[in-house]
Amino acid sequence: MRKLIFIAFAIFATNAFSQINTAGLPIIKHYPKSVYGAGTQNWSICQDSRGFLYFANNNGLLRYDGNSWDLFPLPNNQLVRSVYCSGDTIFVGAFEEIGYFVYNRQADMVYHSLISLVPKTDVNFDEAWRIFKIGPKYIFQTFSHILEYSKGEMRVFRAPELLQFSFVMRGNYYVQGKEGNIYRYQNGSFDRFNDNGIFNGKQIWACFEISGGKTLLATINHGVWIFDGITFTPWKGQVNDLLKAYQVFSASRVSGGYIAFGTIQNGLIITDDQGNLVKFINKSTGLQNNTILSTFVDNANNLWLGLDNGIDYIELNSPLSFIGEG
């Protein structure tokens, strides 16, 4: 019954429009802690092949099937920092713990820890903040290590310096040191990337391709930069000063040529590829909380926000909106 309810929910959602309704405020649905029954903070979000949504929550892995919420704790009830969906396999990262959930024949979720595959000399890798799939490999990025998992085997490599975060740019995987140094990572090798010093002291928290064959890189304190394959230039968009002031913590590409930026200080900013403001939504105009820890666009092109306190769902594709607000 639960799955049927979710399928009906998904079919309804996918009938929505493919363009953001720019008039007024979109429909926003709040999911406070009291509704989903887990921790306040939600650090990462993904969606599996069934359409179920998963949240890296302070109290474990949180699942939403369109009707009900379920919590799946990790060993020692650890806080989950990262989640990555690969089909119906759900990879998670935590403090010195990595692994994955799968469904058994009874449709129950079962956790498989991968920590036993990590050499004892490298088990103190701190938080696993990012998970990527690069070819056949699942890569867990921590502050000190890169851990590669593939076909039941684990390869572990110590980073050349303490890392902040990582990202994929133009098909290649990069890690960034805490002082701004960027390295292209491949098969255990960290090759220094020459950015001409542009990102010294700047932390990249989101990166993805935009129109015109360009790449957008969002920093937490220094706004957005555009890479054309040769040169990095500051984004000329009118909202770049707002993004600097409000501090970008997460960002997602939205179909139709839009970008959703989750900020630490003042909610959600949605722009087009040229940096023109499309929507600005914060606590005073509809969000539960102004600090957005994670953003995720679901398979119906609607937006989920993992907040510092709660979860919000925004119907970007709905033809309905609240006119006269915002």
Side-chain angles (χ1 to χ4, degrees):
M1 176 62 72
R2 177 181 295 180
K3 188 174 180 180
L4 291 174
I5 291 171
F6 185 81
I7 289 172
F9 170 85
I11 290 172
F12 174 81
T14 53
N15 285 330
F17 297 97
S18 60
Q19 294 287 321
I20 290 179
N21 182 355
T22 58
L25 288 173
I27 295 172
I28 302 173
K29 186 171 179 59
H30 299 318
Y31 296 99
K33 174 184 175 180
S34 59
V35 169
Y36 60 72
T40 56
Q41 295 173 311
N42 296 276
W43 300 96
S44 180
I45 310 169
C46 72
Q47 188 171 28
D48 71 8
S49 59
R50 305 178 184 212
F52 295 176
L53 288 149
Y54 300 85
F55 301 81
N57 183 270
N58 278 4
N59 288 2
L61 178 67
L62 183 62
R63 181 185 69 188
Y64 182 54
D65 65 5
N67 180 51
S68 300
W69 296 88
D70 296 286
L71 180 67
F72 302 91
L74 263 62
N76 302 316
N77 295 313
Q78 288 170 293
L79 180 157
V80 179
R81 288 290 190 190
S82 52
V83 61
Y84 181 89
C85 294
S86 181
D88 287 336
T89 302
I90 317 302
F91 290 87
V92 294
F95 179 76
E96 296 175 359
E97 172 65 35
I98 57 174
Y100 61 91
F101 287 87
V102 291
Y103 288 88
N104 62 18
R105 292 183 179 179
Q106 291 74 40
D108 296 323
M109 290 191 74
V110 180
Y111 182 65
H112 298 267
S113 176
L114 295 173
I115 199 66
S116 64
L117 301 179
V118 179
K120 292 183 178 179
T121 53
D122 293 305
V123 294
N124 301 122
F125 53 71
D126 208 286
E127 301 274 5
W129 274 96
R130 295 285 188 271
I131 307 172
F132 290 89
K133 188 175 189 292
I134 309 295
K137 302 174 183 177
Y138 296 93
I139 295 181
F140 298 83
Q141 179 251 312
T142 80
F143 289 142
S144 58
H145 291 72
I146 293 295
L147 301 94
E148 290 185 3
Y149 175 71
S150 179
K151 299 178 180 178
E153 296 183 354
M154 184 77 67
R155 300 172 70 206
V156 181
F157 303 95
R158 185 174 293 273
E161 60 177 287
L162 288 178
L163 303 178
Q164 189 65 36
F165 294 123
S166 57
F167 53 92
V168 175
M169 181 170 66
R170 295 175 174 259
N172 296 311
Y173 178 65
Y174 295 86
V175 297
Q176 188 181 32
K178 287 186 176 293
E179 300 304 317
N181 296 328
I182 299 172
Y183 301 86
R184 179 184 174 187
Y185 173 83
Q186 188 174 25
N187 295 323
S189 176
F190 296 84
D191 298 321
R192 181 72 181 274
F193 177 75
N194 182 16
D195 64 345
N196 294 315
I198 291 292
F199 291 100
N200 287 347
K202 302 179 181 69
Q203 293 298 332
I204 299 166
W205 286 52
C207 175
F208 40 77
E209 305 303 311
I210 59 172
S211 61
K214 297 180 180 180
T215 304
L216 179 148
L217 300 100
T219 68
I220 188 169
N221 291 316
H222 297 86
V224 172
W225 295 73
I226 302 297
F227 183 50
D228 62 6
I230 300 174
T231 305
F232 293 93
T233 56
W235 207 19
K236 301 301 183 183
Q238 66 185 44
V239 301
N240 214 8
D241 287 340
L242 287 180
L243 295 172
K244 292 176 186 178
Y246 297 153
Q247 298 180 285
V248 176
F249 200 87
S250 60
S252 292
R253 193 82 168 94
V254 182
S255 68
Y258 302 103
I259 304 159
F261 295 96
T263 75
I264 297 175
Q265 302 290 342
N266 205 7
L268 179 72
I269 294 176
I270 299 178
T271 75
D272 61 18
D273 273 359
Q274 288 71 49
N276 299 306
L277 182 65
V278 175
K279 287 188 183 294
F280 177 31
I281 311 170
N282 57 17
K283 187 174 182 180
S284 66
T285 56
L287 297 184
Q288 291 183 84
N289 187 273
N290 274 334
T291 299
I292 300 173
L293 303 179
S294 55
T295 59
F296 179 76
V297 178
D298 66 18
N299 57 19
N301 202 39
N302 289 308
L303 186 64
W304 293 82
L305 307 178
L307 307 175
D308 193 50
N309 192 349
I311 295 168
D312 278 350
Y313 166 71
I314 301 180
E315 289 192 19
L316 294 180
N317 278 331
S318 175
L320 303 176
S321 62
F322 296 100
I323 307 298
E325 300 182 54

